[in-house]
Amino acid sequence: MKIIAYSDGGRIALGIVTSPAHFVAVSDIAPDLPSSLISILEQEDGLTRLRLAAEGRQGDRALADVTLKPFLDRPNAMWALALNFKSHIAETGLQTSMEFPHLFMRTAASYVGAGEPILAPAESVARAFDYEGELGVVIGTPGRYIPVERALDHVAGYTCLNEGSVREFQMHNRQFGLGKNFEASGSYGPWLMTRDEFGDPATHTIKTRINGVVRQSAPLDDMLLGVAQVISYLSQGYRLRPGDLIAMGTPGALKPQPDDVEGHDLSRQYGPFPTPGLVHMRPGDWVEVEIDGLGVLGNPVAADAAISESGDAAQKSAA
Amino acid sequence: MKIIAYSDGGRIALGIVTSPAHFVAVSDIAPDLPSSLISILEQEDGLTRLRLAAEGRQGDRALADVTLKPFLDRPNAMWALALNFKSHIAETGLQTSMEFPHLFMRTAASYVGAGEPILAPAESVARAFDYEGELGVVIGTPGRYIPVERALDHVAGYTCLNEGSVREFQMHNRQFGLGKNFEASGSYGPWLMTRDEFGDPATHTIKTRINGVVRQSAPLDDMLLGVAQVISYLSQGYRLRPGDLIAMGTPGALKPQPDDVEGHDLSRQYGPFPTPGLVHMRPGDWVEVEIDGLGVLGNPVAADAAISESGDAAQKSAA
């Protein structure tokens, strides 16, 4: 089952995708279910009721007609992993534990939905704004002290995720802080694919494309620590909650093709680790994260407001 | 004005403190205001309406009769600063930027209210569980690109905060991750004191006591980066939102008195930086963070469930 959230006249509604182009509204097929995915996940039989309600339905709405939105409305925790692919560890030259996940957090405001603009910082603020194609894991069943062998039972489903990162700010100090939390700097979607349909994450691959050029490509079993290990680790101290998101880390840059002028041009890189095949995200780009068997998360990149254009800043000046 | 949240028959209600022992319920004096503090802060005149409604009221309810709760219900961001007091930087021997704040995040679930038990990890999980007395800053007015000289205008108020930290997990990898986010490991309260009543943070001092012994004591102007600088920094990339919390960092341990046996006994310390005057929090302790002119945040320390006692874990085993 593929669950979307979309903008429906100012409010966020849920839908179930029924074909490559169509979906049904959850409020049409299951009006008694909550309109928030987290609230559905909090009901022990929520996903089951949704699945029964959607069974055999023909989609009567077109995906092309709606704006997709992030399907998690402010969960308690949005975890993310740094340095969880050997290829990314190698290209940065950074150290990480081989035993414990390298965990930090993002806020809900740092993510937009599929198709929505990702905001590149104003050039006066930062220029090393990087995509990070990742597997996103959404928790369904809460739990503490979850053994590795039962950890995947706690997963509601998976999504594609672009963990957009502002490298200059990430390097301001030892904790990543603001560098991983710029406004609308990342995205996830296009939908939540439930665990039963996605199967074992380790059998899938992930690709990131900028303007059609593949910049990252890796099997998900290249991860240093897998989904089950990370869930089990977190549950030692934290009660995983329905709707919690875990971004599983990004692979390294793919070696550029010989004729890929941009991919070889390190002079246009402003980050701490200039790497062949890496290009920053810039306004006007189109960025895609694809996980085979799951779907494609595509976003345009737009320019964030600079200080003089910011409504908030202007409002403050006037106050 | 001092705003509390308290448990009122299963739901969370708001109150205004009118004397050392009494308060009025917001639902009694301003039934048209929302029951969530964040929703009140989101209204441009929310605090003003609350202040007008509370003016001249006599408290008809006793603080002693209610359980205080965290007054922020899942804000978009709960920022926290590492290494922001010179005395704490010195005792750890760690490096930090002198220019940029050392920022990470916590979840709402990591905090309880005043008087509620803070949970010490089961001994089989971790033993270096430390208090961190801090000033908590709550954002009232949203904003991007906020200049330092207007930053304090965006503050709704201040609170005492205990940023309980599990050192072993904090040192598992370079990002603090789970070590700063154990379930119910910290607290804030007892109330939000509005900015007009608290005044300039730099003129106050902070003290942390364990079982009555002062373990931290510092003027808040010992901070490396002050409240206004941190708000201005964050607003370069992030739109500050009503209800966002910023924990401003903790001072170093106070030198123990000559007769303070526990304070001198480094053999009972399990953290990476054994320090005279530091004692870990243990079940049965009473921990207090006091900011002069604001109030005292007191919490008992209780033992977190171990694996065999955990309802969740048991439930999973049976599933």
Side-chain angles (χ1 to χ4, degrees):
Chain A
M1 183 163 56
K2 296 195 266 290
I3 307 170
I4 57 167
Y6 63 99
S7 178
D8 186 21
R11 65 185 190 91
I12 307 293
L14 298 176
I16 307 295
V17 177
T18 54
S19 77
H22 292 89
F23 71 98
V24 288
V26 168
S27 60
D28 287 345
I29 61 169
D32 49 332
L33 279 176
S35 60
S36 130
L37 179 56
I38 293 181
S39 301
I40 291 177
L41 294 175
E42 282 169 347
Q43 299 188 2
E44 210 177 324
D45 62 349
L47 278 189
T48 306
R49 289 171 61 196
L50 198 52
R51 189 174 287 113
L52 286 174
E55 218 162 49
R57 295 279 183 162
Q58 293 278 356
D60 55 353
R61 299 181 188 222
L63 282 167
D65 289 348
V66 298
T67 300
L68 296 185
K69 303 297 288 184
F71 47 76
L72 300 169
D73 174 27
R74 212 175 270 193
N76 182 68
M78 303 182 105
W79 300 97
L81 275 83
L83 301 172
N84 199 34
F85 277 80
K86 292 151 206 161
S87 52
H88 185 48
I89 300 169
E91 72 184 5
T92 63
L94 293 172
Q95 300 291 315
T96 193
S97 163
M98 297 289 135
E99 187 184 356
F100 302 114
H102 200 145
L103 284 160
F104 60 95
M105 310 195 92
R106 291 182 67 118
T107 76
S110 75
Y111 288 117
V112 297
E116 294 191 292
I118 285 181
L119 299 183
E123 286 217 353
S124 59
V125 174
R127 297 196 284 191
F129 180 46
D130 288 347
Y131 47 81
E132 293 197 347
E134 308 197 8
L135 174 72
V137 180
V138 176
I139 297 299
T141 306
R144 274 298 295 277
Y145 300 116
I146 302 169
V148 171
E149 56 276 19
R150 278 197 294 270
L152 295 187
D153 299 348
H154 291 260
V155 173
Y158 300 91
T159 191
C160 305
L161 191 146
N162 186 350
E163 215 246 291
S165 304
V166 181
R167 301 299 182 204
E168 293 98 329
F169 279 70
Q170 202 179 323
M171 309 309 285
H172 275 171
N173 217 322
R174 287 189 296 118
Q175 304 299 307
F176 293 158
L178 182 56
K180 290 288 194 176
N181 275 291
F182 265 54
E183 198 75 25
S185 57
S187 62
Y188 61 85
W191 39 65
L192 179 77
M193 177 176 276
T194 50
R195 177 166 49 101
D196 57 313
E197 193 167 331
F198 187 65
D200 182 358
T203 65
H204 295 257
T205 60
I206 189 162
K207 280 194 175 65
T208 306
R209 285 182 289 263
I210 294 272
N211 304 324
V213 181
V214 181
R215 294 295 180 190
Q216 297 182 305
S217 177
L220 289 177
D221 71 353
D222 266 7
M223 287 182 198
L224 198 59
L225 297 167
V227 176
Q229 287 165 290
V230 173
I231 289 175
S232 179
Y233 173 85
L234 282 170
S235 76
Q236 288 180 74
Y238 173 70
R239 179 172 175 268
L240 289 146
R241 287 161 167 79
D244 282 354
L245 178 69
I246 308 170
M248 288 298 300
T250 202
L254 207 61
K255 278 196 175 41
Q257 297 294 312
D259 63 344
D260 173 9
V261 176
E262 196 180 15
H264 285 282
D265 183 3
L266 299 191
S267 75
R268 296 179 60 183
Q269 292 189 25
Y270 299 96
F273 314 111
T275 305
L278 170 70
V279 300
H280 301 315
M281 291 191 283
R282 296 190 184 86
D285 286 345
W286 179 262
V287 56
E288 284 178 351
V289 176
E290 175 167 11
I291 296 176
D292 68 289
L294 199 161
V296 178
L297 165 69
N299 293 93
V301 181
D304 191 9
I307 184 163
S308 59
E309 308 159 36
S310 159
D312 282 332
Q315 189 186 317
K316 283 302 106 199
S317 306
Chain B
M1 184 164 55
K2 299 195 263 291
I3 306 169
I4 57 166
Y6 63 98
S7 179
D8 185 21
R11 67 185 189 90
I12 307 295
L14 297 177
I16 307 294
V17 177
T18 55
S19 78
H22 291 90
F23 71 98
V24 287
V26 169
S27 59
D28 287 345
I29 60 167
D32 48 332
L33 279 176
S35 59
S36 128
L37 179 57
I38 293 181
S39 302
I40 292 177
L41 295 176
E42 283 169 347
Q43 300 188 2
E44 211 178 322
D45 62 348
L47 277 190
T48 305
R49 290 172 60 196
L50 198 52
R51 189 174 289 115
L52 286 174
E55 219 162 49
R57 295 278 184 164
Q58 293 276 358
D60 54 353
R61 300 182 188 221
L63 281 166
D65 288 347
V66 298
T67 301
L68 296 185
K69 304 295 290 184
F71 47 75
L72 301 169
D73 173 26
R74 212 176 271 193
N76 182 69
M78 303 182 105
W79 300 97
L81 275 83
L83 300 172
N84 198 35
F85 276 81
K86 292 150 207 162
S87 53
H88 186 47
I89 298 169
E91 74 185 4
T92 64
L94 292 173
Q95 298 293 315
T96 193
S97 163
M98 296 289 133
E99 188 184 357
F100 303 114
H102 200 145
L103 285 159
F104 59 95
M105 310 193 91
R106 293 181 66 118
T107 78
S110 75
Y111 288 117
V112 298
E116 295 190 291
I118 285 181
L119 300 182
E123 286 218 352
S124 58
V125 173
R127 296 195 284 190
F129 180 46
D130 287 348
Y131 48 80
E132 293 197 347
E134 308 196 7
L135 173 72
V137 181
V138 176
I139 298 298
T141 307
R144 273 300 291 282
Y145 299 117
I146 302 169
V148 170
E149 56 275 19
R150 278 197 295 270
L152 295 187
D153 298 348
H154 291 259
V155 174
Y158 300 91
T159 191
C160 305
L161 191 145
N162 186 348
E163 215 246 292
S165 304
V166 181
R167 301 296 183 206
E168 294 97 328
F169 279 70
Q170 202 179 323
M171 308 309 285
H172 274 172
N173 216 321
R174 287 188 299 118
Q175 304 299 308
F176 294 159
L178 182 56
K180 290 288 194 175
N181 275 290
F182 264 54
E183 198 74 24
S185 55
S187 62
Y188 61 86
W191 38 66
L192 179 77
M193 176 175 277
T194 49
R195 178 165 50 100
D196 57 312
E197 193 165 334
F198 188 64
D200 181 358
T203 64
H204 294 258
T205 59
I206 189 162
K207 281 196 174 64
T208 306
R209 286 182 288 264
I210 294 272
N211 304 324
V213 181
V214 181
R215 293 297 181 189
Q216 298 182 306
S217 177
L220 288 177
D221 72 354
D222 266 6
M223 287 183 197
L224 197 59
L225 297 167
V227 176
Q229 288 165 290
V230 172
I231 288 175
S232 180
Y233 173 86
L234 282 170
S235 76
Q236 290 180 73
Y238 172 70
R239 180 173 176 268
L240 289 146
R241 288 162 167 77
D244 283 353
L245 177 69
I246 308 171
M248 287 300 299
T250 202
L254 205 63
K255 280 197 174 42
Q257 297 294 313
D259 63 344
D260 173 9
V261 176
E262 196 180 14
H264 285 284
D265 182 3
L266 300 191
S267 74
R268 295 178 62 183
Q269 292 189 24
Y270 299 95
F273 315 110
T275 305
L278 170 70
V279 302
H280 301 315
M281 291 191 283
R282 297 190 184 84
D285 286 345
W286 178 263
V287 57
E288 283 178 352
V289 177
E290 175 167 11
I291 296 176
D292 67 289
L294 200 161
V296 179
L297 165 69
N299 293 93
V301 182
D304 191 12
I307 185 161
S308 60
E309 307 159 34
S310 159
D312 284 329
Q315 187 186 319
K316 284 301 104 196
S317 307

